[in-house]
Amino acid sequence: MDITPNTAAGIIIHISRLHKAKIKEFEKLNDESAEAKKKAEVVFARAFLEAEHRPMDERRQIALLAAADARFDADVAERKVKACEKALWALSDDQDSARTISATARDEMKSLGGQP
């Protein structure tokens, strides 16, 4: 497939839009992750405090059980942030590749006597 500088520019613009959308998603997922972590800590603390007059190890286990689902949700939210971050890096690589292809297409046109 022959890629013209205009085609390459369109691809770069498309990737740039994807990148910007992924940044917004990353910000949203970061906020959700922080909220999930906060919720897990609150659930743990409340359960721990409500288990007063029990041995410390028992209070801790009661709190861990009470917060297990919230901690799981926080872990999942954190993994979504990491996956989104990896997607951002991949889009950055795609942008770099598209820029290289664009420059190559321009150079080829120049060497063949065409206008870039």
Side-chain angles (χ1 to χ4, degrees):
M1 170 181 178
D2 289 333
I3 296 180
T4 66
N6 286 341
T7 304
I11 293 168
I12 291 169
I13 290 168
H14 178 69
I15 293 171
S16 180
R17 288 181 181 146
L18 292 174
H19 194 256
K20 288 177 184 175
K22 191 58 72 175
I23 288 170
K24 287 182 182 178
E25 180 184 353
F26 181 74
E27 291 170 350
K28 178 182 171 259
L29 290 172
N30 254 329
D31 290 346
E32 290 173 358
S33 180
E35 284 294 324
K37 184 176 179 182
K38 175 183 146 187
K39 179 183 176 187
E41 289 176 3
V42 168
V43 170
F44 179 90
R46 282 194 179 132
F48 187 87
L49 292 172
E50 289 172 2
E52 60 187 340
H53 306 300
R54 294 180 180 227
M56 189 63 69
D57 286 343
E58 187 177 339
R59 292 176 74 185
R60 189 173 294 113
Q61 295 308 313
I62 289 169
L64 283 171
L65 284 172
D69 288 339
R71 284 184 168 188
F72 176 80
D73 292 343
D75 285 345
V76 169
E78 185 177 331
R79 289 169 199 258
K80 287 180 181 180
V81 168
K82 288 179 181 178
C84 188
E85 187 174 27
K86 287 182 181 182
L88 276 169
W89 282 107
L91 282 169
S92 292
D93 288 346
D94 290 348
Q95 282 179 319
D96 291 342
S97 297
R99 286 186 194 108
T100 300
I101 292 168
S102 178
T104 302
R106 281 193 313 273
D107 290 345
E108 284 179 3
M109 288 189 77
K110 285 180 189 175
S111 69
L112 296 174
Q115 293 286 45

